[in-house]
Amino acid sequence: MANKRVFISFDYDNDEGQKHLLVGQSKLADSPFDLADWSSKEHLSGDWKAKIKAKLAYVDIVCVLCGRNMASATGVAHELAMAKELGKDYFLLAAYSEGNMTKPTTASSTDKIYKWTWPNLKLLIGGGR
């Protein structure tokens, strides 16, 4: 079975290190996913929303890495809104094991932030929620 293609949405200013940890997990031999990592600190020229939407169309699932400042991450909020508009499956993953993780402003009130463990991540990628 082919690995799932996962788009990772994260707060570049506050959680970039956690994103790198997730990239590392995607490279493990028993990983059920490949990351479609198009994140950029640079400003996307032109219609950036159309560019992100095109990238989201290519993936199977979206992982929103939720940190402590996620409520103020407007880019993540836009990415999640676009993923929902496209009907993409998504889940919210706690970027840290301790502290208060916040949701993007476009998350549904019923969206749960899941604990980040390797077994849990594999379950979430497989659709277990």
Side-chain angles (χ1 to χ4, degrees):
M1 179 179 200
N3 280 358
K4 298 257 183 157
R5 291 180 312 262
V6 177
F7 182 96
I8 179 171
S9 184
F10 67 99
D11 179 351
Y12 194 97
D13 293 327
N14 295 294
D15 303 318
E16 183 184 13
Q18 298 308 100
K19 184 254 307 218
H20 290 300
L21 294 175
L22 191 56
V23 169
Q25 284 187 306
S26 74
K27 296 177 181 181
L28 295 174
D30 63 335
S31 176
F33 66 100
D34 296 312
L35 287 179
D37 181 19
W38 292 292
S39 54
S40 174
K41 182 68 173 168
E42 323 269 311
H43 176 72
L44 293 176
S45 61
D47 186 355
W48 70 269
K49 288 183 181 180
K51 291 176 182 178
I52 294 295
K53 200 176 264 192
K55 293 172 182 184
L56 285 167
Y58 171 75
V59 301
D60 300 307
I61 192 167
V62 175
C63 171
V64 181
L65 201 53
C66 296
R68 296 175 188 100
N69 301 297
M70 184 54 64
S72 64
T74 56
V76 174
H78 287 299
E79 289 172 351
L80 179 55
M82 286 185 264
K84 290 167 86 172
E85 181 182 315
L86 291 169
K88 292 295 176 176
D89 196 13
Y90 71 93
F91 62 91
L92 309 181
L93 188 68
Y96 305 92
S97 59
E98 295 178 6
N100 240 358
M101 301 310 118
T102 60
K103 296 179 185 181
T105 57
T106 53
S108 300
S109 61
T110 55
D111 286 342
K112 177 182 175 183
I113 299 177
Y114 293 92
K115 186 176 178 179
W116 184 357
T117 66
W118 184 231
N120 207 28
L121 181 58
K122 291 182 354 182
L123 182 69
L124 292 164
I125 297 289
R129 295 184 263 308

